[in-house]
Amino acid sequence: MAKGLIWATAEDLLRNRGRVFSLYRQILRSINSPNLPLTSAARLSKKAEVCAIFLLASEETSLHNIEDLIDTLEYCLSLLRKGEIPKYIQ
């Protein structure tokens, strides 16, 4: 249960830290999968995009936005595991 009502407290951020790092590693590993139709340059580009997304998301302090980001990451990971490349998520 979140301690903050709208904004994340330090405890909330700490609670999500392991989950986010795990998703980050899993997404990077999934990009290396031979099931994805990517060249090595495209793989490096996708990894750079993932890194940029996580850097920008790390500054988020709204509880609702953090949960939405985690849900989106889990959805992207499920697509990557199926061999699909996530394009636009609405």
Side-chain angles (χ1 to χ4, degrees):
M1 188 80 177
K3 295 284 184 182
L5 296 176
I6 297 174
W7 303 110
T9 63
E11 287 180 32
D12 296 331
L13 296 175
L14 185 61
R15 188 178 315 108
N16 289 322
R17 186 177 185 182
R19 187 173 171 196
V20 171
F21 280 142
S22 175
L23 285 169
Y24 179 69
R25 287 191 307 265
Q26 290 176 40
I27 288 173
L28 289 181
R29 286 183 188 142
S30 295
I31 290 174
N32 280 335
S33 171
N35 296 337
L36 294 177
L38 295 173
T39 64
S40 60
R43 288 181 201 280
L44 287 175
S45 173
K46 291 293 181 190
K47 286 181 181 181
E49 286 179 37
V50 169
C51 183
I53 289 168
F54 273 83
L55 282 175
L56 288 174
S58 69
E59 297 176 4
E60 185 59 55
T61 56
S62 167
L63 289 173
H64 300 291
N65 290 347
I66 291 170
E67 283 301 318
D68 288 343
L69 287 167
I70 290 174
D71 290 342
T72 303
L73 293 171
E74 289 172 345
Y75 174 72
C76 289
L77 183 59
S78 71
L79 287 178
L80 287 169
R81 287 182 175 162
K82 292 178 188 175
E84 301 174 21
I85 301 170
K87 295 189 179 6
Y88 305 104
I89 299 175
Q90 298 177 7

PDB file of all heavy atoms in Angstrom, residues 16-33 36 46-47 50-51 54 73-74 76-77 80-81:
ATOM      1  N   ASN A  16       9.307   0.095  -5.214  1.00  0.00           N
ATOM      2  CA  ASN A  16       9.245  -0.200  -6.642  1.00  0.00           C
ATOM      3  C   ASN A  16      10.615  -0.383  -7.280  1.00  0.00           C
ATOM      4  O   ASN A  16      10.704  -0.801  -8.428  1.00  0.00           O
ATOM      5  CB  ASN A  16       8.500   0.917  -7.382  1.00  0.00           C
ATOM      6  CG  ASN A  16       7.034   0.916  -7.090  1.00  0.00           C
ATOM      7  OD1 ASN A  16       6.421  -0.139  -6.962  1.00  0.00           O
ATOM      8  ND2 ASN A  16       6.453   2.094  -6.987  1.00  0.00           N
ATOM      9  N   ARG A  17      11.660  -0.079  -6.561  1.00  0.00           N
ATOM     10  CA  ARG A  17      13.003  -0.069  -7.136  1.00  0.00           C
ATOM     11  C   ARG A  17      13.415  -1.427  -7.699  1.00  0.00           C
ATOM     12  O   ARG A  17      13.858  -1.519  -8.850  1.00  0.00           O
ATOM     13  CB  ARG A  17      14.000   0.383  -6.076  1.00  0.00           C
ATOM     14  CG  ARG A  17      15.384   0.560  -6.593  1.00  0.00           C
ATOM     15  CD  ARG A  17      16.290   1.085  -5.523  1.00  0.00           C
ATOM     16  NE  ARG A  17      17.585   1.353  -6.073  1.00  0.00           N
ATOM     17  CZ  ARG A  17      18.600   1.775  -5.394  1.00  0.00           C
ATOM     18  NH1 ARG A  17      18.450   2.000  -4.102  1.00  0.00           N
ATOM     19  NH2 ARG A  17      19.752   1.980  -5.950  1.00  0.00           N
ATOM     20  N   GLY A  18      13.266  -2.489  -6.936  1.00  0.00           N
ATOM     21  CA  GLY A  18      13.654  -3.813  -7.394  1.00  0.00           C
ATOM     22  C   GLY A  18      12.837  -4.272  -8.582  1.00  0.00           C
ATOM     23  O   GLY A  18      13.366  -4.877  -9.522  1.00  0.00           O
ATOM     24  N   ARG A  19      11.553  -3.964  -8.545  1.00  0.00           N
ATOM     25  CA  ARG A  19      10.658  -4.336  -9.646  1.00  0.00           C
ATOM     26  C   ARG A  19      11.061  -3.634 -10.944  1.00  0.00           C
ATOM     27  O   ARG A  19      11.094  -4.235 -12.017  1.00  0.00           O
ATOM     28  CB  ARG A  19       9.239  -3.951  -9.245  1.00  0.00           C
ATOM     29  CG  ARG A  19       8.161  -4.385 -10.168  1.00  0.00           C
ATOM     30  CD  ARG A  19       6.829  -4.062  -9.510  1.00  0.00           C
ATOM     31  NE  ARG A  19       5.714  -4.246 -10.401  1.00  0.00           N
ATOM     32  CZ  ARG A  19       4.520  -3.756 -10.182  1.00  0.00           C
ATOM     33  NH1 ARG A  19       4.286  -3.059  -9.084  1.00  0.00           N
ATOM     34  NH2 ARG A  19       3.552  -3.962 -11.032  1.00  0.00           N
ATOM     35  N   VAL A  20      11.403  -2.356 -10.843  1.00  0.00           N
ATOM     36  CA  VAL A  20      11.790  -1.579 -12.016  1.00  0.00           C
ATOM     37  C   VAL A  20      13.127  -2.061 -12.564  1.00  0.00           C
ATOM     38  O   VAL A  20      13.285  -2.228 -13.769  1.00  0.00           O
ATOM     39  CB  VAL A  20      11.825  -0.074 -11.679  1.00  0.00           C
ATOM     40  CG1 VAL A  20      12.432   0.726 -12.806  1.00  0.00           C
ATOM     41  CG2 VAL A  20      10.425   0.426 -11.371  1.00  0.00           C
ATOM     42  N   PHE A  21      14.107  -2.319 -11.679  1.00  0.00           N
ATOM     43  CA  PHE A  21      15.393  -2.823 -12.149  1.00  0.00           C
ATOM     44  C   PHE A  21      15.235  -4.174 -12.834  1.00  0.00           C
ATOM     45  O   PHE A  21      15.874  -4.455 -13.841  1.00  0.00           O
ATOM     46  CB  PHE A  21      16.395  -2.946 -10.998  1.00  0.00           C
ATOM     47  CG  PHE A  21      17.041  -1.648 -10.617  1.00  0.00           C
ATOM     48  CD1 PHE A  21      17.291  -1.366  -9.291  1.00  0.00           C
ATOM     49  CD2 PHE A  21      17.410  -0.715 -11.560  1.00  0.00           C
ATOM     50  CE1 PHE A  21      17.884  -0.179  -8.917  1.00  0.00           C
ATOM     51  CE2 PHE A  21      18.001   0.479 -11.208  1.00  0.00           C
ATOM     52  CZ  PHE A  21      18.248   0.749  -9.881  1.00  0.00           C
ATOM     53  N   SER A  22      14.382  -5.007 -12.288  1.00  0.00           N
ATOM     54  CA  SER A  22      14.133  -6.318 -12.881  1.00  0.00           C
ATOM     55  C   SER A  22      13.518  -6.169 -14.279  1.00  0.00           C
ATOM     56  O   SER A  22      13.946  -6.844 -15.225  1.00  0.00           O
ATOM     57  CB  SER A  22      13.207  -7.134 -11.981  1.00  0.00           C
ATOM     58  OG  SER A  22      12.879  -8.346 -12.593  1.00  0.00           O
ATOM     59  N   LEU A  23      12.540  -5.305 -14.418  1.00  0.00           N
ATOM     60  CA  LEU A  23      11.930  -5.065 -15.728  1.00  0.00           C
ATOM     61  C   LEU A  23      12.949  -4.515 -16.719  1.00  0.00           C
ATOM     62  O   LEU A  23      12.970  -4.913 -17.886  1.00  0.00           O
ATOM     63  CB  LEU A  23      10.748  -4.104 -15.601  1.00  0.00           C
ATOM     64  CG  LEU A  23       9.476  -4.680 -15.008  1.00  0.00           C
ATOM     65  CD1 LEU A  23       8.489  -3.564 -14.691  1.00  0.00           C
ATOM     66  CD2 LEU A  23       8.859  -5.682 -15.959  1.00  0.00           C
ATOM     67  N   TYR A  24      13.791  -3.607 -16.249  1.00  0.00           N
ATOM     68  CA  TYR A  24      14.828  -3.017 -17.105  1.00  0.00           C
ATOM     69  C   TYR A  24      15.756  -4.104 -17.649  1.00  0.00           C
ATOM     70  O   TYR A  24      16.009  -4.174 -18.854  1.00  0.00           O
ATOM     71  CB  TYR A  24      15.604  -1.978 -16.299  1.00  0.00           C
ATOM     72  CG  TYR A  24      16.720  -1.299 -17.053  1.00  0.00           C
ATOM     73  CD1 TYR A  24      16.452  -0.415 -18.085  1.00  0.00           C
ATOM     74  CD2 TYR A  24      18.052  -1.519 -16.712  1.00  0.00           C
ATOM     75  CE1 TYR A  24      17.467   0.224 -18.763  1.00  0.00           C
ATOM     76  CE2 TYR A  24      19.070  -0.891 -17.386  1.00  0.00           C
ATOM     77  CZ  TYR A  24      18.773  -0.019 -18.407  1.00  0.00           C
ATOM     78  OH  TYR A  24      19.778   0.611 -19.088  1.00  0.00           O
ATOM     79  N   ARG A  25      16.239  -4.959 -16.782  1.00  0.00           N
ATOM     80  CA  ARG A  25      17.141  -6.035 -17.211  1.00  0.00           C
ATOM     81  C   ARG A  25      16.432  -7.002 -18.156  1.00  0.00           C
ATOM     82  O   ARG A  25      17.003  -7.440 -19.158  1.00  0.00           O
ATOM     83  CB  ARG A  25      17.685  -6.780 -15.999  1.00  0.00           C
ATOM     84  CG  ARG A  25      18.723  -6.010 -15.215  1.00  0.00           C
ATOM     85  CD  ARG A  25      19.421  -6.886 -14.189  1.00  0.00           C
ATOM     86  NE  ARG A  25      18.497  -7.586 -13.314  1.00  0.00           N
ATOM     87  CZ  ARG A  25      18.114  -7.172 -12.118  1.00  0.00           C
ATOM     88  NH1 ARG A  25      18.594  -6.045 -11.649  1.00  0.00           N
ATOM     89  NH2 ARG A  25      17.278  -7.871 -11.390  1.00  0.00           N
ATOM     90  N   GLN A  26      15.201  -7.358 -17.838  1.00  0.00           N
ATOM     91  CA  GLN A  26      14.460  -8.293 -18.686  1.00  0.00           C
ATOM     92  C   GLN A  26      14.197  -7.716 -20.067  1.00  0.00           C
ATOM     93  O   GLN A  26      14.284  -8.432 -21.075  1.00  0.00           O
ATOM     94  CB  GLN A  26      13.139  -8.671 -18.019  1.00  0.00           C
ATOM     95  CG  GLN A  26      13.307  -9.532 -16.792  1.00  0.00           C
ATOM     96  CD  GLN A  26      11.964  -9.803 -16.125  1.00  0.00           C
ATOM     97  OE1 GLN A  26      10.978 -10.028 -16.800  1.00  0.00           O
ATOM     98  NE2 GLN A  26      11.948  -9.767 -14.808  1.00  0.00           N
ATOM     99  N   ILE A  27      13.889  -6.429 -20.137  1.00  0.00           N
ATOM    100  CA  ILE A  27      13.646  -5.804 -21.440  1.00  0.00           C
ATOM    101  C   ILE A  27      14.931  -5.765 -22.256  1.00  0.00           C
ATOM    102  O   ILE A  27      14.932  -6.083 -23.448  1.00  0.00           O
ATOM    103  CB  ILE A  27      13.034  -4.396 -21.263  1.00  0.00           C
ATOM    104  CG1 ILE A  27      11.586  -4.527 -20.785  1.00  0.00           C
ATOM    105  CG2 ILE A  27      13.099  -3.597 -22.556  1.00  0.00           C
ATOM    106  CD1 ILE A  27      10.922  -3.224 -20.418  1.00  0.00           C
ATOM    107  N   LEU A  28      16.050  -5.415 -21.620  1.00  0.00           N
ATOM    108  CA  LEU A  28      17.317  -5.396 -22.355  1.00  0.00           C
ATOM    109  C   LEU A  28      17.687  -6.793 -22.843  1.00  0.00           C
ATOM    110  O   LEU A  28      18.167  -6.959 -23.969  1.00  0.00           O
ATOM    111  CB  LEU A  28      18.438  -4.825 -21.481  1.00  0.00           C
ATOM    112  CG  LEU A  28      18.364  -3.330 -21.208  1.00  0.00           C
ATOM    113  CD1 LEU A  28      19.542  -2.896 -20.354  1.00  0.00           C
ATOM    114  CD2 LEU A  28      18.332  -2.532 -22.502  1.00  0.00           C
ATOM    115  N   ARG A  29      17.459  -7.807 -22.024  1.00  0.00           N
ATOM    116  CA  ARG A  29      17.734  -9.179 -22.456  1.00  0.00           C
ATOM    117  C   ARG A  29      16.818  -9.597 -23.588  1.00  0.00           C
ATOM    118  O   ARG A  29      17.230 -10.294 -24.516  1.00  0.00           O
ATOM    119  CB  ARG A  29      17.582 -10.141 -21.282  1.00  0.00           C
ATOM    120  CG  ARG A  29      18.706 -10.058 -20.299  1.00  0.00           C
ATOM    121  CD  ARG A  29      18.534 -11.088 -19.210  1.00  0.00           C
ATOM    122  NE  ARG A  29      19.508 -10.879 -18.163  1.00  0.00           N
ATOM    123  CZ  ARG A  29      19.270 -11.024 -16.881  1.00  0.00           C
ATOM    124  NH1 ARG A  29      18.075 -11.402 -16.469  1.00  0.00           N
ATOM    125  NH2 ARG A  29      20.213 -10.807 -15.994  1.00  0.00           N
ATOM    126  N   SER A  30      15.564  -9.192 -23.538  1.00  0.00           N
ATOM    127  CA  SER A  30      14.610  -9.555 -24.581  1.00  0.00           C
ATOM    128  C   SER A  30      14.951  -8.915 -25.915  1.00  0.00           C
ATOM    129  O   SER A  30      14.683  -9.480 -26.971  1.00  0.00           O
ATOM    130  CB  SER A  30      13.196  -9.151 -24.172  1.00  0.00           C
ATOM    131  OG  SER A  30      12.789  -9.880 -23.044  1.00  0.00           O
ATOM    132  N   ILE A  31      15.542  -7.725 -25.873  1.00  0.00           N
ATOM    133  CA  ILE A  31      15.952  -7.069 -27.120  1.00  0.00           C
ATOM    134  C   ILE A  31      17.052  -7.871 -27.809  1.00  0.00           C
ATOM    135  O   ILE A  31      17.150  -7.882 -29.033  1.00  0.00           O
ATOM    136  CB  ILE A  31      16.380  -5.616 -26.840  1.00  0.00           C
ATOM    137  CG1 ILE A  31      15.148  -4.787 -26.472  1.00  0.00           C
ATOM    138  CG2 ILE A  31      17.084  -5.002 -28.042  1.00  0.00           C
ATOM    139  CD1 ILE A  31      15.441  -3.390 -26.030  1.00  0.00           C
ATOM    140  N   ASN A  32      17.864  -8.586 -27.054  1.00  0.00           N
ATOM    141  CA  ASN A  32      18.922  -9.416 -27.628  1.00  0.00           C
ATOM    142  C   ASN A  32      18.408 -10.738 -28.180  1.00  0.00           C
ATOM    143  O   ASN A  32      19.173 -11.495 -28.768  1.00  0.00           O
ATOM    144  CB  ASN A  32      20.003  -9.711 -26.587  1.00  0.00           C
ATOM    145  CG  ASN A  32      20.953  -8.558 -26.429  1.00  0.00           C
ATOM    146  OD1 ASN A  32      21.126  -7.769 -27.340  1.00  0.00           O
ATOM    147  ND2 ASN A  32      21.556  -8.462 -25.269  1.00  0.00           N
ATOM    148  N   SER A  33      17.141 -11.029 -28.009  1.00  0.00           N
ATOM    149  CA  SER A  33      16.569 -12.302 -28.444  1.00  0.00           C
ATOM    150  C   SER A  33      16.687 -12.473 -29.960  1.00  0.00           C
ATOM    151  O   SER A  33      16.415 -11.538 -30.721  1.00  0.00           O
ATOM    152  CB  SER A  33      15.099 -12.372 -28.037  1.00  0.00           C
ATOM    153  OG  SER A  33      14.494 -13.486 -28.622  1.00  0.00           O
ATOM    154  N   LEU A  36      13.592 -11.593 -32.427  1.00  0.00           N
ATOM    155  CA  LEU A  36      13.261 -10.264 -32.941  1.00  0.00           C
ATOM    156  C   LEU A  36      13.999 -10.011 -34.253  1.00  0.00           C
ATOM    157  O   LEU A  36      15.199 -10.257 -34.354  1.00  0.00           O
ATOM    158  CB  LEU A  36      13.640  -9.182 -31.931  1.00  0.00           C
ATOM    159  CG  LEU A  36      12.871  -9.158 -30.624  1.00  0.00           C
ATOM    160  CD1 LEU A  36      13.412  -8.078 -29.719  1.00  0.00           C
ATOM    161  CD2 LEU A  36      11.400  -8.927 -30.881  1.00  0.00           C
ATOM    162  N   LYS A  46      17.554   0.369 -30.044  1.00  0.00           N
ATOM    163  CA  LYS A  46      16.448   0.052 -29.135  1.00  0.00           C
ATOM    164  C   LYS A  46      16.908   0.076 -27.681  1.00  0.00           C
ATOM    165  O   LYS A  46      16.195   0.535 -26.800  1.00  0.00           O
ATOM    166  CB  LYS A  46      15.834  -1.315 -29.466  1.00  0.00           C
ATOM    167  CG  LYS A  46      15.094  -1.351 -30.764  1.00  0.00           C
ATOM    168  CD  LYS A  46      13.853  -0.493 -30.698  1.00  0.00           C
ATOM    169  CE  LYS A  46      13.091  -0.545 -32.009  1.00  0.00           C
ATOM    170  NZ  LYS A  46      12.032   0.444 -32.050  1.00  0.00           N
ATOM    171  N   LYS A  47      18.118  -0.431 -27.427  1.00  0.00           N
ATOM    172  CA  LYS A  47      18.644  -0.396 -26.057  1.00  0.00           C
ATOM    173  C   LYS A  47      18.832   1.040 -25.583  1.00  0.00           C
ATOM    174  O   LYS A  47      18.556   1.365 -24.430  1.00  0.00           O
ATOM    175  CB  LYS A  47      19.966  -1.153 -25.980  1.00  0.00           C
ATOM    176  CG  LYS A  47      19.808  -2.645 -26.047  1.00  0.00           C
ATOM    177  CD  LYS A  47      21.158  -3.317 -25.934  1.00  0.00           C
ATOM    178  CE  LYS A  47      21.039  -4.803 -26.019  1.00  0.00           C
ATOM    179  NZ  LYS A  47      22.341  -5.468 -25.887  1.00  0.00           N
ATOM    180  N   VAL A  50      15.442   2.387 -24.661  1.00  0.00           N
ATOM    181  CA  VAL A  50      15.013   1.861 -23.357  1.00  0.00           C
ATOM    182  C   VAL A  50      15.716   2.611 -22.233  1.00  0.00           C
ATOM    183  O   VAL A  50      15.086   3.013 -21.251  1.00  0.00           O
ATOM    184  CB  VAL A  50      15.282   0.338 -23.264  1.00  0.00           C
ATOM    185  CG1 VAL A  50      15.104  -0.165 -21.844  1.00  0.00           C
ATOM    186  CG2 VAL A  50      14.375  -0.415 -24.217  1.00  0.00           C
ATOM    187  N   CYS A  51      17.004   2.832 -22.389  1.00  0.00           N
ATOM    188  CA  CYS A  51      17.769   3.562 -21.367  1.00  0.00           C
ATOM    189  C   CYS A  51      17.214   4.974 -21.195  1.00  0.00           C
ATOM    190  O   CYS A  51      17.027   5.440 -20.066  1.00  0.00           O
ATOM    191  CB  CYS A  51      19.233   3.599 -21.767  1.00  0.00           C
ATOM    192  SG  CYS A  51      20.285   4.399 -20.568  1.00  0.00           S
ATOM    193  N   PHE A  54      13.845   4.908 -19.331  1.00  0.00           N
ATOM    194  CA  PHE A  54      14.003   4.670 -17.896  1.00  0.00           C
ATOM    195  C   PHE A  54      14.606   5.874 -17.193  1.00  0.00           C
ATOM    196  O   PHE A  54      14.250   6.167 -16.045  1.00  0.00           O
ATOM    197  CB  PHE A  54      14.844   3.413 -17.651  1.00  0.00           C
ATOM    198  CG  PHE A  54      14.035   2.152 -17.636  1.00  0.00           C
ATOM    199  CD1 PHE A  54      13.694   1.511 -18.808  1.00  0.00           C
ATOM    200  CD2 PHE A  54      13.597   1.617 -16.438  1.00  0.00           C
ATOM    201  CE1 PHE A  54      12.940   0.358 -18.797  1.00  0.00           C
ATOM    202  CE2 PHE A  54      12.834   0.463 -16.414  1.00  0.00           C
ATOM    203  CZ  PHE A  54      12.505  -0.170 -17.594  1.00  0.00           C
ATOM    204  N   LEU A  73       5.523  -1.154 -19.054  1.00  0.00           N
ATOM    205  CA  LEU A  73       6.759  -1.927 -19.188  1.00  0.00           C
ATOM    206  C   LEU A  73       6.471  -3.426 -19.214  1.00  0.00           C
ATOM    207  O   LEU A  73       7.068  -4.168 -20.001  1.00  0.00           O
ATOM    208  CB  LEU A  73       7.716  -1.599 -18.043  1.00  0.00           C
ATOM    209  CG  LEU A  73       8.280  -0.184 -18.031  1.00  0.00           C
ATOM    210  CD1 LEU A  73       9.040   0.071 -16.741  1.00  0.00           C
ATOM    211  CD2 LEU A  73       9.155   0.049 -19.240  1.00  0.00           C
ATOM    212  N   GLU A  74       5.561  -3.866 -18.361  1.00  0.00           N
ATOM    213  CA  GLU A  74       5.215  -5.288 -18.345  1.00  0.00           C
ATOM    214  C   GLU A  74       4.547  -5.700 -19.652  1.00  0.00           C
ATOM    215  O   GLU A  74       4.803  -6.783 -20.169  1.00  0.00           O
ATOM    216  CB  GLU A  74       4.320  -5.598 -17.147  1.00  0.00           C
ATOM    217  CG  GLU A  74       5.072  -5.523 -15.835  1.00  0.00           C
ATOM    218  CD  GLU A  74       4.187  -5.638 -14.618  1.00  0.00           C
ATOM    219  OE1 GLU A  74       2.944  -5.503 -14.753  1.00  0.00           O
ATOM    220  OE2 GLU A  74       4.730  -5.859 -13.527  1.00  0.00           O
ATOM    221  N   CYS A  76       5.053  -4.241 -22.630  1.00  0.00           N
ATOM    222  CA  CYS A  76       6.126  -4.249 -23.639  1.00  0.00           C
ATOM    223  C   CYS A  76       6.969  -5.510 -23.524  1.00  0.00           C
ATOM    224  O   CYS A  76       7.352  -6.107 -24.537  1.00  0.00           O
ATOM    225  CB  CYS A  76       7.006  -3.017 -23.491  1.00  0.00           C
ATOM    226  SG  CYS A  76       6.199  -1.497 -23.991  1.00  0.00           S
ATOM    227  N   LEU A  77       7.251  -5.915 -22.307  1.00  0.00           N
ATOM    228  CA  LEU A  77       8.035  -7.134 -22.090  1.00  0.00           C
ATOM    229  C   LEU A  77       7.290  -8.348 -22.626  1.00  0.00           C
ATOM    230  O   LEU A  77       7.905  -9.226 -23.254  1.00  0.00           O
ATOM    231  CB  LEU A  77       8.357  -7.303 -20.610  1.00  0.00           C
ATOM    232  CG  LEU A  77       9.234  -8.481 -20.238  1.00  0.00           C
ATOM    233  CD1 LEU A  77      10.579  -8.406 -20.938  1.00  0.00           C
ATOM    234  CD2 LEU A  77       9.424  -8.530 -18.736  1.00  0.00           C
ATOM    235  N   LEU A  80       7.724  -8.335 -26.365  1.00  0.00           N
ATOM    236  CA  LEU A  80       9.082  -8.719 -26.744  1.00  0.00           C
ATOM    237  C   LEU A  80       9.281 -10.222 -26.623  1.00  0.00           C
ATOM    238  O   LEU A  80       9.937 -10.843 -27.467  1.00  0.00           O
ATOM    239  CB  LEU A  80      10.107  -7.975 -25.882  1.00  0.00           C
ATOM    240  CG  LEU A  80      10.286  -6.495 -26.183  1.00  0.00           C
ATOM    241  CD1 LEU A  80      11.128  -5.837 -25.091  1.00  0.00           C
ATOM    242  CD2 LEU A  80      10.921  -6.299 -27.551  1.00  0.00           C
ATOM    243  N   ARG A  81       8.714 -10.811 -25.602  1.00  0.00           N
ATOM    244  CA  ARG A  81       8.846 -12.260 -25.423  1.00  0.00           C
ATOM    245  C   ARG A  81       8.118 -13.040 -26.512  1.00  0.00           C
ATOM    246  O   ARG A  81       8.469 -14.174 -26.808  1.00  0.00           O
ATOM    247  CB  ARG A  81       8.345 -12.666 -24.047  1.00  0.00           C
ATOM    248  CG  ARG A  81       9.299 -12.248 -22.957  1.00  0.00           C
ATOM    249  CD  ARG A  81       8.820 -12.681 -21.608  1.00  0.00           C
ATOM    250  NE  ARG A  81       9.809 -12.369 -20.595  1.00  0.00           N
ATOM    251  CZ  ARG A  81       9.560 -12.314 -19.310  1.00  0.00           C
ATOM    252  NH1 ARG A  81       8.344 -12.561 -18.863  1.00  0.00           N
ATOM    253  NH2 ARG A  81      10.519 -12.027 -18.463  1.00  0.00           N
TER     254      ARG A  81
END
